[in-house]
Amino acid sequence: MKLLFYRYGSICEPFILSALSELGTEVVELSAEVTDKQMKPSDVVQTVSRTLLDGNFDLVFSVNFFPVVSDVCNIFHIPYAGWTVDSPVMELYSKSVANKCNYLFLFDRCQYQEIAPLNPGHVFYLPLGSDPVFMQSVIQKGQKQAETYRADLSFVGSLYTEKCAYDKLKNPPEYLSGFLNGLMAAQQKIYGYYFIDDALPQQITDLFKEHMPGYYTPLDAPFLTDTAIVSQLYIGNKISALERVHLVRRLAACFPFTIYTGSDTSNIPGIRNRGLAKTLTEMPLIFHSSTINLNITSKPIRSGIPLRVWDILSCGGFVLTNYQAEIPEYFCPGEHIEVYENEDDLLDKCNYYLDHPSKAAEIAQNGLALVSGQHTYRHRMETLLLTVFEKKASERACI
């Protein structure tokens, strides 16, 4: 099989390429957008079209969804598969999502349930995965540096404070501020269910839009509502920022806490900020060398398991994460992973596992064994390719 991989620089891409190679797939990469983030749609059309004309391809693939790539594939009658690793992905609301060439795989079940009706039979649920072989090789090579990354409790990631579009809200009326503050405070107390979409009255959405300079208005997104924009793009990220800053502040007051982030932590006493971590060389050592690795899922990931959890597990790291609805489908809490259900539960479990590091290490090894046997990128790409070509064959048989 010959596959055209349209790349833009996702951290998952090297692992997916490795999995495709293991499966014996011939891959041609288009990588112009990795270095040129200002590529015009017309340039993408020309690049993809020229490549498809020069080769006999069975499938075009990308991480996330590119409407313009889908449109080109629709013209060429070549199947296009996109696998989301982020949420929200606003491009999923474009009219191109309905193209019959599409075979879209979404990692968050709430995302899937929302998008599947827009292209029946061409949207599928597929969780994220891991590459334990690569991660373990980095850890083996970095054994001499492992002590450098030793930590009781660590967190790798943004606090969202530097990239929160919600903070641009200008002169909101007291009614709007009060409603939104109350809504966000309530959501922070709820784990496993994101209710903002259902709780936003149209009046509040309209008022928010009126007071948000540069409000996000895509040119081609007939399936995208203002409720989804306000809920997922603005409020969801603001709640993530509020939650992360609050939890990090409280944890830093109670435990030795190391954070790897580019966010400003100067107003959080007691925290050790070591700056940004290199994804492919430092993060595996951090995850492997920390007694507890904290995951705080971004709120726009409404039910799915984020990539950070899979990465920690594939490093043989112990992960303590907020509860997500899909976690029990893949892991047994207390055996492969540990979850917290509220703020007090988080502190209690940090206390427990710092006092019982051998138990944390045992759970980490169980998690590594599970993902190595069932949840690698190779497993996911096998599922994706099989789904695409079985679906395509069944559609051809019906003609």
Side-chain angles (χ1 to χ4, degrees), residues 32-72:
E33 195 165 333
V34 174
T35 53
D36 182 5
K37 298 301 181 184
Q38 305 303 318
M39 280 188 71
K40 298 177 182 178
S42 58
D43 295 332
V44 177
V45 169
Q46 289 182 8
T47 302
V48 175
S49 297
R50 189 182 305 117
T51 307
L52 292 178
L53 284 169
D54 289 344
N56 186 24
F57 291 95
D58 300 295
L59 177 69
V60 177
F61 172 83
S62 73
V63 173
N64 288 335
F65 176 65
F66 290 82
V68 65
V69 175
S70 172
D71 289 341
V72 172

Side-chain angles (χ1 to χ4, degrees), residues 307-369:
L307 188 60
R308 179 69 77 242
V309 169
W310 298 102
D311 285 344
I312 295 170
L313 290 169
S314 68
C315 295
F318 172 73
V319 56
L320 175 57
T321 178
N322 63 286
Y323 176 78
Q324 288 284 103
E326 294 175 39
I327 285 176
E329 299 178 30
Y330 300 95
F331 307 111
C332 178
E335 182 179 346
H336 309 108
I337 196 172
E338 190 56 276
V339 301
Y340 63 91
E341 298 184 355
N342 54 55
E343 184 178 332
D344 290 338
D345 189 34
L346 170 60
L347 267 70
D348 288 344
K349 284 176 176 167
C350 284
N351 262 317
Y352 176 81
Y353 285 107
L354 288 177
D355 285 343
H356 300 82
S358 60
K359 181 61 177 176
E362 177 187 337
I363 293 172
Q365 286 305 303
N366 292 340
L368 173 60

Side-chain angles (χ1 to χ4, degrees), residues 57-107:
F57 291 95
D58 300 295
L59 177 69
V60 177
F61 172 83
S62 73
V63 173
N64 288 335
F65 176 65
F66 290 82
V68 65
V69 175
S70 172
D71 289 341
V72 172
C73 290
N74 216 38
I75 293 170
F76 277 79
H77 301 289
I78 291 176
Y80 168 56
W83 184 20
T84 65
V85 301
D86 298 312
S87 185
V89 176
M90 291 306 182
E91 292 80 4
L92 289 171
Y93 297 93
S94 72
K95 67 179 181 182
S96 302
V97 79
N99 288 340
K100 292 306 175 185
C101 68
N102 291 338
Y103 298 85
L104 305 182
F105 296 81
L106 312 184
F107 84 100

Side-chain angles (χ1 to χ4, degrees), residues 84-322:
T84 65
V85 301
D86 298 312
S87 185
V89 176
M90 291 306 182
E91 292 80 4
L92 289 171
Y93 297 93
S94 72
K95 67 179 181 182
S96 302
V97 79
N99 288 340
K100 292 306 175 185
C101 68
N102 291 338
Y103 298 85
L104 305 182
F105 296 81
L106 312 184
F107 84 100
D108 181 285
R109 186 168 279 110
C110 284
Q111 187 184 62
Y112 162 78
Q113 290 169 344
E114 192 171 7
I115 301 301
L118 305 181
N119 195 342
H122 286 254
V123 182
F124 311 90
Y125 166 72
L126 186 68
L128 300 178
S130 62
D131 191 335
V133 173
F134 174 83
M135 296 298 189
Q136 294 302 314
S137 70
V138 173
I139 292 164
Q140 284 295 114
K141 292 174 185 176
Q143 282 183 338
K144 292 182 180 179
Q145 292 80 40
E147 190 60 31
T148 305
Y149 301 98
R150 176 76 183 88
D152 289 332
L153 173 64
S154 68
F155 175 75
V156 179
S158 170
L159 297 184
Y160 280 81
T161 49
E162 73 277 16
K163 54 182 180 182
C164 188
Y166 181 100
D167 293 337
K168 296 179 182 178
L169 198 63
K170 188 174 182 180
N171 300 323
E174 287 187 14
Y175 171 72
L176 177 61
S177 293
F179 184 94
L180 293 175
N181 288 339
L183 193 65
M184 291 189 291
Q187 179 64 79
Q188 287 182 74
K189 297 180 181 297
I190 304 297
Y191 287 79
Y193 172 52
Y194 186 73
F195 62 75
I196 302 297
D197 299 67
D198 299 326
L200 272 180
Q202 190 61 47
Q203 177 188 1
I204 293 294
T205 299
D206 293 341
L207 201 56
F208 183 96
K209 185 177 179 181
E210 181 182 334
H211 289 270
M212 176 53 69
Y215 180 80
Y216 177 76
T217 50
L219 295 176
D220 172 30
F223 303 116
L224 183 59
T225 66
D226 283 324
T227 297
I229 292 173
V230 173
S231 169
Q232 298 177 39
L233 196 60
Y234 289 102
I235 294 178
N237 284 331
K238 180 61 175 178
I239 295 173
S240 296
L242 292 170
E243 179 181 39
R244 290 187 178 195
V245 170
H246 174 73
L247 291 180
V248 165
R249 184 183 299 276
R250 185 154 185 208
L251 288 166
C254 299
F255 309 103
F257 193 0
T258 303
I259 188 171
Y260 293 81
T261 186
S263 303
D264 182 11
T265 59
S266 58
N267 63 346
I268 302 178
I271 198 165
R272 184 191 184 201
N273 186 348
R274 298 194 61 183
L276 295 172
K278 295 178 182 177
T279 302
L280 300 181
T281 56
E282 293 184 316
M283 282 207 316
L285 296 172
I286 295 166
F287 295 152
H288 185 75
S289 303
S290 300
T291 302
I292 299 174
N293 293 283
L294 177 63
N295 174 68
I296 309 171
T297 305
S298 171
K299 290 301 180 186
I301 301 176
R302 289 168 283 172
S303 66
I305 303 172
L307 188 60
R308 179 69 77 242
V309 169
W310 298 102
D311 285 344
I312 295 170
L313 290 169
S314 68
C315 295
F318 172 73
V319 56
L320 175 57
T321 178
N322 63 286

